[in-house]
Amino acid sequence: MPGCETSERVVIAVERIVLLGLMGAGKSTVGPRLARRLGWRYVDLDREIERRAGQRVAEIFAGRGEAYFRLLETACTVALAGCRQAVLAPGGGWIATPGNLARLGPGSFRIWLQVGPDEALARLAGSPEARPLLAAADPLAAATRLLEEREPLYRQAELAVATGGRTPAEVVHEIVEHLRERGLAAAREV
Ligand code: S3P
């Protein structure tokens, strides 16, 4: 049928930015800075989960297990559905729950903050926040395995930014330049 093979360019406005990446990738350092630059609000999903549950993430894992934590994470995502002008920093495993991305609604622009497992662990060494999934006999092996499992999902991000050996300011600069070039709109073929 004439016209069936033609592809139409649809421009979807970027309503929100979702930062993806392994624990220690820099989501919670880059996120607030990026939000400030854009004049958007910043939402750290783990902090939001803690606020609603009245418990730290590590306490939720210890008391109710990871599956329960994932339910809270999804509930928090539902509460953010359709949010606009927001930089969201969910935990590194958020993207692995089927449907979480769709729950936010159209217009999510994913940015993968890339980091190697060894650098991620080095950064986390100074963090006051416990990471239950890395509290293993061999944290490097645990981080490596998580990255291997999640990389196919992280890879689907609209933008990937290498963070190794770079300051948060440099990472934010690269993201802002990229968004500027795109005119804050992501285009896809349908
Ligand atoms: C997790 C990452 C953590 C937190 C929880 C589980 C994960 O957040 O949500 O410990 O599955 O990778 P950060 O990525 O902000 O450290």
Side-chain angles (χ1 to χ4, degrees), residues 21-24 27-28 44 46 49 57 61 66 69-70 73 89-94 124 129-133 146 150 154:
L22 202 60
M23 295 167 262
K27 300 181 295 290
S28 53
D44 182 316
D46 281 349
I49 291 165
V57 167
F61 266 77
E66 181 178 352
F69 171 77
R70 298 297 171 201
E73 198 172 43
W94 173 88
L124 291 173
E129 193 189 327
R131 301 306 201 285
L133 295 182
L146 285 175
R150 295 169 179 174
Y154 293 159

Side-chain angles (χ1 to χ4, degrees), residues 24-133:
K27 300 181 295 290
S28 53
T29 36
V30 166
R33 288 173 169 82
L34 178 61
R36 243 188 333 269
R37 281 291 301 275
L38 298 173
W40 288 8
R41 76 183 162 118
Y42 169 71
V43 183
D44 182 316
L45 264 77
D46 281 349
R47 300 293 83 76
E48 200 49 36
I49 291 165
E50 290 178 339
R51 195 183 59 77
R52 292 160 151 242
Q55 275 187 312
R56 305 306 306 267
V57 167
E59 292 168 342
I60 299 169
F61 266 77
R64 307 288 299 266
E66 181 178 352
Y68 183 71
F69 171 77
R70 298 297 171 201
L71 289 178
L72 298 183
E73 198 172 43
T74 291
C76 197
T77 305
V78 169
L80 288 164
C83 68
R84 302 181 66 193
Q85 301 203 327
V87 175
L88 309 182
W94 173 88
I95 193 72
T97 298
N100 267 354
L101 181 66
R103 284 181 183 101
L104 288 176
S108 295
F109 187 88
R110 292 160 290 180
I111 300 179
W112 175 22
L113 300 181
Q114 297 173 301
V115 68
D118 38 7
E119 182 156 352
L121 287 179
R123 290 182 192 168
L124 291 173
S127 164
E129 193 189 327
R131 301 306 201 285
L133 295 182

